[in-house]
Amino acid sequence: MTIPLSIAWTDGQLVILDQQKLPHEIDYLTLETIEDVYDAILTLKVRGAPAIGIAAAYGLALAAQRHDAETVEAFLHDVRKDALYLGESRPTAVNLMWALDRLLEAVQKAGSVENGKALLIAEAVRIHQEDEASCRQIGEYALSLLEGHKRVMTICNAGSIATAKYGTALAPFHLGSERGRKFEVFACETRPVFQGARLTVWELQQSGVDVTLITDSMAAHTIGAKDIEAIIIGADRIAANGDTANKIGTLNLAILAAAYGIPFYVAAPASTFDITIDSGAKIPIEERKAEEITHIGSQPVAPLGTKVFNPAFDVTPSRFITAIITEKGIIKPDYYQNIPGVLNSYAEKGEK
Ligand code: MRU
């Protein structure tokens, strides 16, 4: 049984698993230019908030290796321009800007252009490695919260392939599988582009986790019919008050969890928090092309020219969230008060 990975940096090359082609084709792509990285993020070849951040970090470092600026100032100017470009590939996941900002901060210390190039690569590798450790820790905390629970529902893919390894919402299932703890995971297919059906089901099967696929519209019935005990999801951006943007359909599940009286958990690393915004109302919601809804693959399912609204994410108000599971600890309401405490206490311990 293996936990699949989606990003590798080997001998200065950025290789990604093409998530558009999963699960029927396992294809790896070498991304050579900043445009390749931008396109891979935009077209969901690499997706999931932490993975987008990692890919963008490597993309910025990769592009910098080709710059022929003669002074550090000119080099930094080029790198900032590249960061602005990559930052526009997708708007909702804050991990993208967070990772690019970390590289921009690291490169400030450059003593020479060559040194700047090396600093960018080193910081991208650090972000990649830290994310794996964070996800593993999230998995440990999530396992403790899910103690006594077996049947769990999720949406989209907040898994190993959406991160460096393990995932966020799927981390407890991978760790559980390693330890012989049996979960029964119910994966919502996740319209419009089927991250649940194509990615979560495939990933959990690779890891030996019992997974059952349902359509998104079956969630309410399934919670009752299959006695679902908890819901766990990932996040693309969490505001200072705990409001959480995640894949469209997440809000439906949060409302259902409240109606059924079962816990609703958000699992996300510190890099997904955006405490510069006080509520979810300020989270930009990506809208994607109509064909994702009017077609399934290349097959049209709606009349040609149909008017479409295709938001890729929704925002779950924090009052529906039982706890937010981070690598730094489990955060419970009142989120506005408790988020800084958990995120900062870790920094004070010198662990970040
Ligand atoms: O559009 P996607 O596939 O990038 O959306 C991904 C999600 O909504 C995930 O749940 C989120 O990014 C967390 S991934 C650990």
Side-chain angles (χ1 to χ4, degrees), residues 44 47-50 52 90 93 155-159 162-163 167-169 195 233-236 246-247 267 286 312-313:
L44 312 183
R47 38 115 343 250
I52 292 170
R90 291 192 78 191
I155 189 168
C156 194
N157 173 269
T163 63
T168 57
Q195 289 94 332
I233 54 108
D236 283 81
N246 190 53
K247 180 52 56 193
E286 176 182 10
F313 300 95

Side-chain angles (χ1 to χ4, degrees), residues 19 41 44 46-52 90 93 95 131 135 154-163 167-170 190 193 195 198-199 233-237 245-248 250 267-269 272 286 288 312-313:
Q19 297 194 38
I41 294 173
L44 312 183
V46 58
R47 38 115 343 250
I52 292 170
R90 291 192 78 191
N95 308 60
D131 189 62
C135 288
T154 190
I155 189 168
C156 194
N157 173 269
S160 184
I161 58 174
T163 63
T168 57
L170 301 191
T190 317
V193 291
Q195 289 94 332
R198 295 188 304 106
L199 308 178
I233 54 108
D236 283 81
R237 195 185 294 228
N246 190 53
K247 180 52 56 193
I248 193 75
T250 299
T272 303
E286 176 182 10
R288 295 183 63 88
F313 300 95

